[in-house]
Structures are given as C-alpha cells and as structure tokens.
Amino acid sequence: MTASRTDNPGPTRLITSPDGAAQWLRAGQLVAFGTETVYGLGADATNAQAVAAIYEAKGRPSFNPLICHFASAEAAFAHVRPNAMAQTLAAAFWPGPLTLVLPRRASSPVSQLAGAGLPTLAVRVPAHPVAHEMLALAGLPIAAPSANRSGHISPTSAAHVLASLGGRIAAVLDSGPCAVGLESTVLDLSGPAPVLLRPGGVTREALEAVIGPLSTTAAPGAALAAPGMLASHYAPNLPVRLNATAPGLDEAFLAFGPAPAGALLFQLSATQNLIEAAANLFKALHWLDEHAAHRGLAAIAAAPIPAVGLGLAINDRLARAAAPRG
Ligand code: AMP
Ligand code: MG
C-alpha cells in the first residue's frame, strides 16, 4: 500500500482554506468539512484505501454505502445515470440537502468500497459555499459520512469534529456552524418508483410538491430491511463459507495472508493489513463471484479475519454475505 497515509496523521489541523482541504483530499487524506446539513468526513471516493480510512477513523463496525459529494449536478451525473425525475429534482433542490440514489455508470471510477459493492451510488450537491468551493477545487467525488466516531451524534461545528475525531484525521475545514443541522434526505430513484430511504433536510412535502406521492417502503417483492437500511446489501451469488483455512476442491478462496497454490483466489492483503483488505473487499467478492462461476466452482471460502479495528466491519460484511438468503 502507499506509505502510511493514514496510519499516523498526527495532530488534526483546523484550516479555513478550501484549497488546502482540496489538496489534502487529492493526496488521499481525510478532511472533515461543513455542509448545510452536518460536518462530513471526506475522502477521495475513487481511492479505496482513503475510503477504508474513513471507516477506521470512525470506528464504524459495518460498511454502509457512502454518499458521494460533488460541486455540480453535471459532475454528479458523470458517475450515475439520472432519469427524468432525477433531473427535475436536481433542478429543484440542488445545491441542497437532498441525496439521490441512482444506477452507477460502469465508467465511474468511484471505488467499490464507497458504494459498498452496490450497483447504485448515492450522490449529492451540497449548498454550503465553503464545501462547494472545496469540492470544485478537488475535482473528485468526495465520499463522506457524518464526521463523528461511530455511535456519537452528528457534528454541526468544527469543535464537535475535533472533540470526536481529533488526532485521527488530517484536517477539519472550518466552515462555521451547520445551518440545517439535520442529515440530507435520501431518495432512491433506482427502482420503478421513488422511495424515501431517510427523512432529512428536504421535507417529504417539498419533494411531493415536485414529483407527487412518495413511498417509504420498498416495492412489493423487494427485500425487506431494517428502517434506514432499505438498500439491499450486496452479496455474491455463490454461497460463502467463513473462517476457511483453505478452499475445498470446488471452492474459490478469499485469502488474507497465507494462500494455497493452485486455487482460484483473490488476495485481500498478503501482509494482513486491514486497511488494504477493507479497500479490496467488494472488488474481491465481485471478482471471485464472476470467475468462480465461470470455472464451475460451487462456493467462495473466506479466510478468517481478525476481529479488531477494520476487521469488525469486514467480518460483518462477510457474515451478511454468508447468511442464508430468503
Ligand atoms: P451517512 O453515511 O450516515 O450519511 O448515511 C448515508 C445514507 O445513505 C445511509 O442511510 C445509506 O444507507 C444511504 N445510501 C448511501 N448509498 C446508498 C445506495 N447506493 N443505496 C441506498 N442507500 C444508500
Ligand atoms: Mg452518521
């Protein structure tokens, strides 16, 4: 992996220059930045290791798909395919606290980890002028969940971010207090009808005034999920066997360190580095699923991953992939 980019960020710098923030982001570092909703913990979404570092800094025990932030609708729609409703909503509410989930373009360089392996991507154009300038200068999709340690409340000032993540990230771009203080509204436009996945800064009434009545539940037949987690989780088609020290004859192998010769395998990290493994996880599952099926293999055997640090989120995702399908 690239030299200790996030291993020891040292003291977190409180900065006011959007250009400085953009430079840290372009270098693969983590930068918290204020938007009109809450402070986000940003990383270059195309850099899987930088995205893995978000999870490490937050201590988040699971990989959820992250919202990608852009300076303009045009920049966002270069990564996803907008339908007519998305165009209408973007014209009405962007820049602003509305996130749209849309089918991702095959050409998008956003890492599989940022999208948690899903065929969709959540995109947003924030209204805050400082965030806007930073995003325009970075010229990259910036993946950002809220800038707090997992389980803590969302930060609405630079001081909140420093209290929660100080010493764990490169910089905080001080953008003043957040005006909305609520998370963005998340609307899934990737299915046959729009689905409100998370209420937030743009009200349901405001959305319905533009696009008509909204459903909060998935369409009949779609997988049921816990509230706030309506997006189905990515899982490979082949069954997954956990804590396998070696693959069976009819299995492909998801390796973490020692790997047998001869098997079809994807190495998460030869040096057993958890950031590298997290960065590779979804790419690995997609790759193994495709290639194992081509070879007529029956399953994916996954090597044990230590249950520490990012290993918790990796194990959470592997356990979901191995769970019986309903
Ligand atoms: P947070 O990272 O806390 O701002 O939360 C982001 C929200 O967006 C979560 O509720 C995610 O489930 C949702 N989200 C992000 N990407 C997707 C996606 N591709 N499909 C469905 N929901 C998504
Ligand atoms: Mg949060």
Side-chain angles (χ1 to χ4, degrees), residues 146-149 151-156 160 164:
S146 55
N148 51 276
R149 295 274 291 163
H152 295 207
I153 55 165
S154 294
T156 51
H160 292 166
S164 193

Side-chain angles (χ1 to χ4, degrees), residues 58 60 64-67 99 101-102 114-115 118-122 144-146 183-184 186 188 197-198 228-232:
K58 281 180 70 84
R60 221 191 223 192
N64 308 322
L66 301 177
I67 297 168
T99 295
V101 175
L102 289 163
L118 295 171
T120 52
L121 216 51
S146 55
E183 267 129 347
S184 64
V186 180
D188 186 353
L197 296 181
R198 179 175 79 183
M229 305 202 50
L230 279 168
S232 60

Side-chain angles (χ1 to χ4, degrees), residues 2-326:
T2 45
S4 318
R5 205 176 11 74
T6 52
D7 295 349
N8 185 15
T12 298
R13 301 151 190 87
L14 185 60
I15 61 178
T16 53
S17 153
D19 187 41
Q23 285 181 32
W24 284 115
L25 289 167
R26 294 179 67 88
Q29 295 281 351
L30 302 184
V31 178
F33 61 100
T35 72
E36 70 277 20
T37 60
V38 299
Y39 272 71
L41 179 55
D44 172 1
T46 69
N47 178 336
Q49 295 215 8
V51 175
I54 288 180
Y55 285 92
E56 192 183 48
K58 281 180 70 84
R60 221 191 223 192
S62 61
F63 295 122
N64 308 322
L66 301 177
I67 297 168
C68 289
H69 297 73
F70 298 88
S72 67
E74 190 191 2
F77 291 160
H79 295 265
V80 290
R81 280 184 278 111
N83 52 20
M85 192 177 280
Q87 304 273 12
T88 303
L89 288 166
F93 296 106
W94 280 355
L98 176 66
T99 295
L100 301 178
V101 175
L102 289 163
R104 126 187 214 148
R105 292 188 192 272
S107 58
S108 170
V110 168
S111 60
Q112 286 292 324
L113 181 61
L118 295 171
T120 52
L121 216 51
V123 297
R124 170 160 111 85
V125 178
H128 195 291
V130 177
H132 177 268
E133 196 179 344
M134 181 198 81
L135 291 166
L137 289 165
L140 290 164
I142 299 300
S146 55
N148 51 276
R149 295 274 291 163
S150 183
H152 295 207
I153 55 165
S154 294
T156 51
S157 72
H160 292 166
V161 178
L162 283 173
S164 193
L165 293 173
R168 306 179 70 90
I169 63 177
V172 181
L173 176 61
D174 191 346
S175 328
C178 301
V180 176
L182 270 181
E183 267 129 347
S184 64
T185 302
V186 180
L187 187 67
D188 186 353
L189 297 180
S190 67
V195 178
L196 185 60
L197 296 181
R198 179 175 79 183
V202 170
T203 64
R204 181 191 192 107
E205 290 77 8
L207 289 173
E208 290 185 331
V210 175
I211 56 166
L214 270 175
S215 165
T216 18
T217 50
L224 259 183
M229 305 202 50
L230 279 168
S232 60
H233 286 290
Y234 165 74
N237 292 314
L238 287 177
V240 175
R241 182 169 68 89
L242 300 177
N243 295 315
T245 43
L249 284 178
D250 60 350
E251 290 178 327
F253 194 47
L254 182 67
F256 182 69
L264 177 74
L265 67 83
F266 195 109
Q267 179 60 265
L268 285 176
S269 171
T271 58
Q272 301 193 318
N273 177 300
L274 287 167
I275 289 203
E276 185 182 24
N280 282 330
L281 181 64
F282 291 98
K283 195 169 53 176
L285 289 173
H286 278 292
W287 189 92
L288 284 173
D289 210 20
E290 181 189 336
H291 289 82
H294 279 164
R295 289 217 198 161
L297 298 175
I300 297 169
I305 308 286
V308 293
L310 278 176
L312 295 176
I314 296 173
N315 282 322
D316 170 77
R317 181 50 49 148
L318 289 175
R320 289 173 197 268
R325 317 282 161 79

